[in-house]
Amino acid sequence: MSNTIVVACPSCAQRNKIPSERISARPHCGACKEALITGLPFDLTLNNLKAHMSSDLPVVIDFWAPWCGPCKQFAPIFEMVAAPFAERARFAKANTQNETVLGQRYNIRSIPTIAIFHRDQELARVSGAMHPQQLHKWLDEVLNEVGW
């Protein structure tokens, strides 16, 4: 019998149970049939927050705003680094201008802020843009520390 993990769909937020060994087989959502593991960041909103934060994979969130220059410069780096971590963590972007409740809930004081959560518990946080190598190293260290 294999271990199963719960993964929320980035498209419809439906929670899906999949065997842990099938995560690399690029499984699809049972509800909307979209890919569960895409390697691309999805938009985190108040509406899909609970589904993603209660899933088994850690969630890496980029808190940003459209008027923020450093946020715009960091966006492609965040997206690029998401791909190699696709099977270890979910990558989400929270627009703090539109989703003010999320910014308040997680006490975001500066942007960009990148935070890693597992089951809605914050594991680590860093404020400010990073180079791809820095972000990759930081993510790898935090995820290894918690067994992902």
Side-chain angles (χ1 to χ4, degrees), residues 64-69 71-72 94-98 111:
W64 70 286
W67 50 262
C68 169
C71 296
K72 289 179 185 179
N95 181 338
T96 57
Q97 180 176 306
N98 296 342
I111 53 175

Side-chain angles (χ1 to χ4, degrees), residues 45-99:
T45 66
L46 200 53
N47 292 334
N48 66 11
L49 176 72
K50 184 176 180 182
H52 290 287
M53 289 301 218
S54 64
S55 293
D56 291 328
L57 288 176
V59 181
V60 181
I61 305 173
D62 174 14
F63 293 94
W64 70 286
W67 50 262
C68 169
C71 296
K72 289 179 185 179
Q73 292 175 333
F74 180 68
I77 293 168
F78 188 74
E79 186 171 323
M80 177 178 61
V81 173
F85 286 94
E87 297 174 13
R88 295 175 63 194
R90 306 313 307 253
F91 279 67
K93 296 184 68 62
N95 181 338
T96 57
Q97 180 176 306
N98 296 342
E99 299 291 336

Side-chain angles (χ1 to χ4, degrees), residues 26-57:
R26 302 291 188 221
H28 288 83
C29 177
C32 74
K33 309 302 182 210
E34 294 292 324
L36 290 175
I37 309 298
T38 65
L40 296 172
F42 60 89
D43 291 328
L44 189 68
T45 66
L46 200 53
N47 292 334
N48 66 11
L49 176 72
K50 184 176 180 182
H52 290 287
M53 289 301 218
S54 64
S55 293
D56 291 328
L57 288 176

Side-chain angles (χ1 to χ4, degrees), residues 9 30 41 53 121:
C9 177
M53 289 301 218
Q121 298 297 311

